[in-house]
Amino acid sequence: MGLLVLSDAFPRNRHADQRLGPGPTERPKRRRASSARRNDMTTNLPSLTAVRAFEAAARHESITEAANELCVTPAAVTHQVRALERWLGVDLFIRKGSTLCLTPAGETFFTGSNQAIDLIRAVAQKVSTPDNRVRLSIVAPPSFAAQWLVPRIASFQSTRKIELSVSIRAVSSEKSWRTSDIGIVSSAETPPFLERRPFLGYRIIAVCSPRLLTGPNAIRSLSDLRKHALLHDEGLKQVDGVDWNSWLRGAGHGPIDTSDSIRFSNNFTAYRYAADGHGVTLAKDVLVQSELARGELVNPFEYSDRSKRTYDFVCTSANFDLKPVAQFWAWLQREAQQDRALMPA
């Protein structure tokens, strides 16, 4: 059976042409309509240069620092911000002394523009050439960065063309997140636009120098803690709600007078002070693994308190789709799994 090909050899019916769509003479009108729609979309968008200038000024809370980042003059940034304010019809900034503060409208516009720039950056990295070196900015709490992240991070970089920038601070507000791609948190509160993925749990244990296990005041039971200085990590109380007496209560022991104890705002300092033989401190087990392995610290008791908190990986939804972010997240999970295998259940 042959193939029947129907060609346009017969004359068109004029009415059929009208039913099927516009004829050749109407095509320019369709192009003009499409162009008009594009013009409408353009006029409904502010200048992206102005948006970028505003976002940088809001993030740094400084016109001068925004100008340095964008490699332009402060006057140019001010001009772009004012142009954006005129376009929006609202004030975005107010000055309080030497501080540049966002108005409520500015806060709203900053949140949206910051997320939009993140999305553009994510798309740009997706389509960029694979040989380009990618920069990944990480923010992490000081103790976690010093005790857990930094000692391991060389294993992540060794096989990847990723330039890492680690900032040491807590992520508790939108302002603290503004210059970061990804972060590590253990606190309850983070900016609402961030997604959280837990990856590392921990227990709270007592640690001290092995020197305190010998001599006339040797630690052999919980009652022996009365003979030694009890060191306090204020961050542990703030984040986990745990102090010495709540920990002892969980261990089935009565309270101990801790009024003359030393208090530290940084747990790394408390760990170091304990390792030098000056007292006993409570510690997150995942942060003192190296000291325990080297014998600088010991855990004199079987009891440990499992924290309700975890260390969580945080990121915007747009950044989660980036390849380097996915690689870092996978690496974090592998490192955490190795930690769990080394620690007692």
Side-chain angles (χ1 to χ4, degrees), residues 119-333:
L119 183 59
I120 292 171
R121 184 185 297 113
V123 173
Q125 289 192 11
K126 278 185 177 180
V127 300
S128 63
T129 58
D131 290 336
N132 286 351
R133 181 172 290 274
V134 177
R135 183 176 182 182
L136 202 57
S137 176
I138 309 165
V139 59
S143 57
F144 184 84
Q147 297 288 105
W148 196 94
L149 182 61
V150 172
R152 293 168 167 80
I153 213 164
S155 67
F156 173 77
Q157 279 193 292
S158 60
T159 58
R160 299 171 180 86
K161 292 184 177 181
I162 297 177
E163 179 184 341
L164 293 177
S165 171
V166 181
S167 298
I168 310 300
R169 65 178 184 274
V171 182
S172 56
S173 65
E174 187 172 316
K175 184 185 299 184
S176 64
W177 175 259
R178 289 176 182 174
T179 57
S180 304
D181 299 313
I182 57 178
I184 308 296
V185 300
S186 62
S187 60
E189 296 182 359
T190 51
F193 58 84
L194 295 178
E195 292 187 21
R196 296 179 66 145
R197 297 183 182 181
F199 69 94
L200 184 62
Y202 55 88
R203 291 178 176 272
I204 299 170
I205 61 175
V207 293
C208 64
S209 166
R211 297 198 297 271
L212 300 190
L213 303 185
T214 59
N217 294 325
I219 297 176
R220 296 186 177 87
S221 68
L222 290 170
S223 297
D224 293 326
L225 290 173
R226 291 188 174 90
K227 306 171 186 176
H228 298 274
L230 299 184
L231 313 179
H232 288 264
D233 171 14
E234 294 296 320
L236 200 63
K237 174 67 174 178
Q238 182 179 1
V239 174
D240 294 271
V242 175
D243 60 14
W244 268 110
N245 281 323
S246 66
W247 188 87
L248 287 166
R249 187 165 54 250
H253 195 280
I256 292 178
D257 181 16
T258 60
S259 57
D260 59 347
S261 300
I262 303 176
R263 300 179 183 275
F264 295 89
S265 61
N266 184 300
N267 54 18
F268 174 77
T269 309
Y271 301 161
R272 189 70 265 155
Y273 199 72
D276 289 340
H278 300 306
V280 188
T281 189
L282 295 175
K284 299 177 182 180
D285 59 355
V286 296
L287 300 187
V288 291
Q289 287 186 74
S290 296
E291 288 81 357
L292 291 171
R294 292 193 298 265
E296 297 174 6
L297 289 172
V298 293
N299 175 9
F301 309 116
E302 292 184 2
Y303 175 72
S304 64
D305 180 15
R306 180 179 292 277
S307 175
K308 296 178 181 178
R309 299 284 185 210
T310 57
Y311 282 105
D312 299 350
F313 179 73
V314 295
C315 189
T316 62
S317 298
N319 281 350
F320 261 126
D321 293 332
L322 294 177
K323 183 178 179 180
V325 172
Q327 290 176 332
F328 192 85
W329 168 234
W331 173 80
L332 270 182
Q333 293 179 93

Side-chain angles (χ1 to χ4, degrees), residues 76-103:
V77 174
T78 300
H79 173 76
Q80 291 294 339
V81 170
R82 287 176 178 169
L84 181 61
E85 289 178 323
R86 286 194 300 271
W87 194 94
L88 294 170
V90 295
D91 291 332
L92 299 173
F93 289 112
I94 56 174
R95 283 197 174 274
K96 294 182 178 179
S98 59
T99 304
L100 193 65
C101 300
L102 288 167
T103 64

